[in-house]
Amino acid sequence: MKGTGSQRSSYDELLALVQGLAAQVETLTARVAVLEKENAELRVENAALRAENSALKRKLGTDSTNSSTPPSQDSLAAKGKRQAQRSQRVRSKDRTPGGQPGRLGSGLMPASAPDRTETAAAPADCSGCGSDLADGTDVGMTWTQIWDTPPIRLGKVQYWLPRRRCSCCKKVTTAVVPFGHAGTVSYGPNVNAAAILLGSAGNVPVERTAMLMAALLGSPVSSGFVARAHERFAQRLEAAGFDDAMSTALAAEPVLCGDETPVNIARKDTDEDGTEKPGAPHVVTVRTPEERLVWYRALPARTAVALRNLGVLGDYRGYIVRDDYAGWHQFDARAAGTQQCVAHLFRHLQGVLDLHPDQQAWAGATRDVLREAHGAVEVAKSAGVTELDPKLLGSLRARYDKAVTWGKSTNRHRDWDSAGNHPGYKLATRLADKADQVWLFTTVFSVPWTNNCSEQALKSPKLHQKVSGYWHTLTTLGKFCTVRSYLTSACNHGHRAIDTIHNALIGNPWMPPVAA
């Protein structure tokens, strides 16, 4: 019995040991499962962080020279790099500051028919020894011209307004004068024109405009008057149908360029529930390649619907120059042709080339052949030729196709940390699929190869925003766009801004001519 009891005790101890080990194994198995799950999660998180890190590195290396980032958003380092690139030219040690010999100056030339002629008093003292020149000998005359404006002062004119009673209906009618109302005091068109010119063309904020007018013109106007002057002017242009006339004139042009830029609005439009409408407000410009017609419009958001509602490009049959924002694609089907902005493409190509100068050398080759094509077009234009030599054009296109094909093949399966394909592959695919839009300028010489003119036009609202910070509402932005379109286009047709403002205020605005 003792033996049996001893065996049972050993068996119980062994069983307890096995059960303990089994429990430890179960615990360890559960722990391993937890660790494996945590390890998998960490791997996913690590991959996401690596991708984010790569994206941030690329973003830090992105500036206006290798992407579509505007120069105004460049970092200090990028601006310094750009300045250094501009300063690589070596100047001659013998070069003196200022204009060089042979350069035509821009100084004043004497007027052949001055407004009036006066004779100065004869000199009284000798400029050499100081002697009295009362008994001196006259030796003829020389001349000088002084160009100046007359003294500016505020004129206060009171009009007596005759009143007459109709013998038929007994209605009393009072005489009217421009900008005047019976029994009131108001500023005239010239003071209004000065406020509009300073605030719109001069990009001077409302308060500063009022201060400058008080100091320079002797007109102690208020900031509220300046704001109302702009509003009244925009209303006059709207009542005269300026925007409709501009839309009609642009629709008749053979080539149009379009671009857009975001702007700051203090109070965005709201729906019936008082909720702000989605989307970032933008200013869009549609213009001719040369500075004849420049039209600005306010967009509530950067969408295809907002661009379509402009009412210019929906049925447009000419050529369109633009970047590759998808909102513009809807107009391609009806247009005679579309030119991709090559300046935008150059920045994308530079961005890919910066990833690896050797592996992505195709991007540099693509850029070089497009530059050669542009140079050939300019040579042909200067020679009065209307098209490129077919062999030359074929050779250039073959080099382009070869480089783009290489870009696709070398990047098709290249590893990329971020989701999606390698940016070199995406860019090469785009250049291949839209080659006709990239090369339109080589077959239609009236089409510019870049959309730089639109970007230059958008500097105007950007500068105004830089000074003022924002517009209060989309409505005030729309009025700004109407006024700026009017002044810019009228001045580009040879009219003085102050004259065109005055004419519009008295009911005779300039209207854009429609091309034949």
Side-chain angles (χ1 to χ4, degrees):
M1 295 296 293
K2 289 183 178 180
T4 303
S6 176
Q7 291 177 355
R8 180 172 297 278
S9 176
S10 299
Y11 173 78
D12 291 341
E13 290 177 357
L14 180 61
L15 180 60
L17 179 62
V18 171
Q19 290 176 343
L21 291 174
Q24 291 183 17
V25 169
E26 184 177 355
T27 301
L28 291 174
T29 301
R31 181 58 179 166
V32 167
V34 171
L35 292 176
E36 288 180 345
K37 182 180 178 182
E38 290 179 353
N39 184 47
E41 293 175 349
L42 289 174
R43 286 178 179 273
V44 173
E45 183 179 355
N46 183 51
L49 290 174
R50 287 171 59 86
E52 182 179 358
N53 184 47
S54 299
L56 289 174
K57 283 184 177 180
R58 289 193 302 276
K59 188 173 182 180
L60 288 173
T62 298
D63 54 45
S64 59
T65 65
N66 57 17
S67 71
S68 295
T69 303
S72 60
Q73 296 184 11
D74 278 348
S75 64
L76 293 177
K79 291 178 180 178
K81 182 181 73 173
R82 196 169 66 243
Q83 184 63 35
Q85 291 173 347
R86 290 197 189 109
S87 304
Q88 290 176 351
R89 184 177 62 179
V90 179
R91 293 180 178 269
S92 171
K93 295 181 179 179
D94 299 329
R95 188 179 187 275
T96 57
Q100 302 305 299
R103 174 182 176 271
L104 295 178
S106 57
L108 299 176
M109 300 298 292
S112 58
D115 297 327
R116 71 175 189 271
T117 300
E118 296 183 7
T119 301
D125 301 318
C126 176
S127 60
C129 64
S131 300
D132 187 1
L133 292 179
D135 298 330
T137 304
D138 291 334
V139 291
M141 289 190 180
T142 185
W143 64 273
T144 184
Q145 284 189 6
I146 299 176
W147 295 8
D148 201 0
T149 59
I152 301 174
R153 67 182 184 87
L154 186 65
K156 302 172 183 177
V157 180
Q158 177 166 318
Y159 287 90
W160 291 108
L161 306 177
R163 307 176 71 203
R164 288 189 175 182
R165 186 186 304 276
C166 177
S167 59
C168 177
C169 66
K170 309 305 179 182
K171 172 72 175 179
V172 176
T173 302
T174 303
V176 295
V177 293
F179 276 77
H181 300 280
T184 64
V185 179
S186 57
Y187 288 111
N190 290 334
V191 177
N192 278 266
I196 295 164
L197 183 63
L198 285 171
S200 182
N203 294 303
V204 182
V206 172
E207 294 80 5
R208 298 286 293 177
T209 297
M211 187 203 72
L212 286 174
M213 291 185 65
L216 181 62
L217 307 178
S219 302
V221 302
S222 66
S223 57
F225 164 79
V226 175
R228 289 192 299 273
H230 284 81
E231 184 175 355
R232 282 193 297 267
F233 184 57
Q235 290 173 349
R236 295 288 178 91
L237 294 177
E238 291 171 3
F242 171 75
D243 279 325
D244 291 338
M246 179 65 83
S247 176
T248 301
L250 288 170
E253 292 290 330
V255 182
L256 291 180
C257 305
D259 201 2
E260 74 289 330
T261 186
V263 291
N264 298 327
I265 302 295
R267 296 190 301 275
K268 297 173 66 174
D269 289 351
T270 58
D271 55 22
E272 297 178 353
D273 299 330
T275 304
E276 287 188 351
K277 293 183 178 179
H282 278 64
V283 168
V284 64
T285 181
V286 180
R287 56 163 296 171
T288 54
E290 73 287 351
E291 290 184 329
R292 286 189 301 106
L293 300 175
V294 181
W295 195 39
Y296 298 101
R297 297 291 283 173
L299 297 182
R302 187 182 184 230
T303 63
V305 174
L307 289 174
R308 184 164 59 250
N309 289 339
L310 291 174
V312 177
L313 300 174
D315 294 321
Y316 183 64
R317 305 287 180 164
Y319 296 97
I320 302 175
V321 184
R322 57 163 177 79
D323 58 27
D324 205 29
Y325 167 55
W328 296 102
H329 294 175
Q330 60 186 313
F331 308 119
D332 292 350
R334 290 181 177 271
T338 299
Q339 172 64 54
Q340 293 260 342
C341 175
V342 180
H344 280 76
L345 298 179
F346 277 6
R347 292 195 285 268
H348 295 312
L349 288 167
Q350 184 63 49
V352 171
L353 186 61
D354 289 343
L355 295 176
H356 199 290
D358 295 329
Q359 295 176 354
Q360 306 300 331
W362 69 272
T366 304
R367 182 184 56 191
D368 293 342
V369 71
L370 286 172
R371 282 177 174 162
E372 288 185 39
H374 176 249
V377 169
E378 293 302 305
V379 170
K381 285 182 180 179
S382 60
V385 180
T386 59
E387 61 180 15
L388 287 180
D389 177 70
K391 291 184 178 180
L392 173 60
L393 180 57
S395 173
L396 293 170
R397 276 298 301 267
R399 289 168 53 196
Y400 171 89
D401 293 339
K402 180 180 179 180
V404 169
T405 301
W406 174 258
K408 290 177 62 176
S409 61
T410 192
N411 293 304
R412 184 184 302 275
H413 301 295
R414 192 177 297 279
D415 293 335
W416 191 242
D417 293 333
S418 300
N421 294 315
H422 189 279
Y425 177 77
K426 290 191 287 188
L427 179 58
T429 301
R430 171 183 161 194
L431 292 173
D433 294 343
K434 300 185 177 181
D436 290 342
Q437 294 183 355
V438 176
W439 284 81
L440 179 63
F441 74 94
T442 62
T443 55
V444 183
F445 284 4
S446 61
V447 174
W449 76 317
T450 72
N451 198 25
N452 288 348
C453 63
S454 294
E455 292 190 356
Q456 292 166 0
L458 289 175
K459 289 181 179 179
S460 175
K462 288 180 179 179
L463 176 60
H464 191 88
Q465 178 171 273
K466 183 178 181 181
V467 174
S468 299
Y470 59 89
W471 286 268
H472 288 281
T473 64
L474 195 66
T475 300
T476 57
L477 174 62
K479 294 183 183 301
F480 165 86
C481 290
T482 297
V483 172
R484 186 55 61 89
S485 302
Y486 176 78
L487 294 180
T488 302
S489 300
C491 291
N492 290 340
H493 280 76
H495 302 281
R496 290 202 318 158
I498 193 72
D499 294 335
T500 58
I501 296 173
H502 187 279
N503 291 339
L505 290 174
I506 62 175
N508 185 31
W510 172 86
M511 286 295 179
V514 178

